[in-house]
Amino acid sequence: MGLSRNQIKNLVNVESKKFKAPPSRTIKKRKFEGEEQPAFPFMKKPLREPQPPKRGKSVSAAEIKCSDATRALVRERLLEAFTKVAGEVEDMEKKVQVSACDPVGVAVSVESVLYKNMGPSKGAKAAVRYRAILFNVKDPKNPDFRRKLLLGEVKPETLVTMLPEEMASDDRQTQNKQIREDALAKIPDHSAVDEKESECDAR
């Protein structure tokens, strides 16, 4: 005896359900402030791009390492001085200029120029020069010199031939100038002396 039409229809429906494809597992996403994020809290958020370190933070000495330990030490001392400048300047315009500077880059640049022109700091003559430069850069009473060097107002190339009095602070340079002017004022005018001598001879 054959199957009725309804029985055949029911049998087809049962068999078709066995081979029904599973629903696609799609994850709905929603956007927050221009970026895509999963709609469910247990999903991982997209990785953010690494942010550069904020200015004013202490900089690791690893960023200025050099294969030469002596050169690395000079760079570290320069960097130590340059990182003080931000807290020393009071003028707002200078503050903006200082905040735009890279103390690490300047320290490496200055040391590289010194090494290129004077060689290693172990040499007898070079050691004296290096000590004078580092002393003035780190001198607590000489914030002007390290600020000028950081801002590029004093070029690293000029350090090679710069006199100690030229590295002094603005106040100290003003005092030195006044001392020289006072000393020159005490020296008699040679032209006036010659005139007096000629008058005596004429008599």
Side-chain angles (χ1 to χ4, degrees), residues 37-195:
Q37 294 185 0
F40 306 101
F42 57 84
M43 297 299 296
K44 284 186 177 181
K45 295 182 179 181
L47 295 176
R48 294 182 179 179
E49 295 182 359
Q51 299 294 325
K54 293 183 178 180
R55 294 188 182 277
K57 299 289 184 180
S58 58
V59 182
S60 172
E63 297 186 43
I64 56 172
K65 274 187 176 180
C66 179
S67 57
D68 188 331
T70 305
R71 294 186 62 184
L73 181 60
V74 174
R75 293 181 179 186
E76 290 175 14
R77 290 180 177 176
L78 290 170
L79 177 60
E80 181 183 349
F82 291 149
T83 52
K84 295 179 181 179
V85 178
E88 294 173 333
V89 293
E90 297 179 355
D91 182 74
M92 287 304 300
E93 184 178 352
K94 293 293 183 184
K95 282 182 176 292
V96 173
Q97 294 176 2
V98 170
S99 64
C101 291
D102 175 19
V104 176
V106 177
V108 173
S109 176
V110 171
E111 185 280 329
S112 298
V113 171
L114 294 178
Y115 184 82
K116 179 181 178 181
N117 290 274
M118 299 193 302
S121 59
K122 295 180 180 179
K125 293 183 179 180
V128 175
R129 194 66 186 166
Y130 272 98
R131 280 198 297 269
I133 294 171
L134 292 175
F135 171 80
N136 283 281
V137 171
K138 296 181 64 179
D139 186 2
K141 298 180 180 180
N142 195 0
D144 300 319
F145 183 59
R146 52 178 163 268
R147 186 195 70 245
K148 291 177 181 178
L149 197 55
L150 177 64
L151 295 178
E153 296 174 4
V154 173
K155 302 300 181 183
E157 294 81 4
T158 62
L159 295 176
V160 180
T161 57
M162 187 175 287
L163 299 175
E165 49 266 31
E166 293 176 319
M167 301 182 194
S169 64
D170 293 345
D171 291 339
R172 186 60 182 173
Q173 289 188 33
T174 302
Q175 293 174 7
N176 291 340
K177 182 180 179 181
Q178 187 63 46
I179 291 172
R180 286 194 298 269
E181 290 177 352
D182 293 343
L184 290 172
K186 294 178 180 180
I187 299 176
D189 189 350
H190 293 288
S191 60
V193 173
D194 292 340
E195 288 179 0

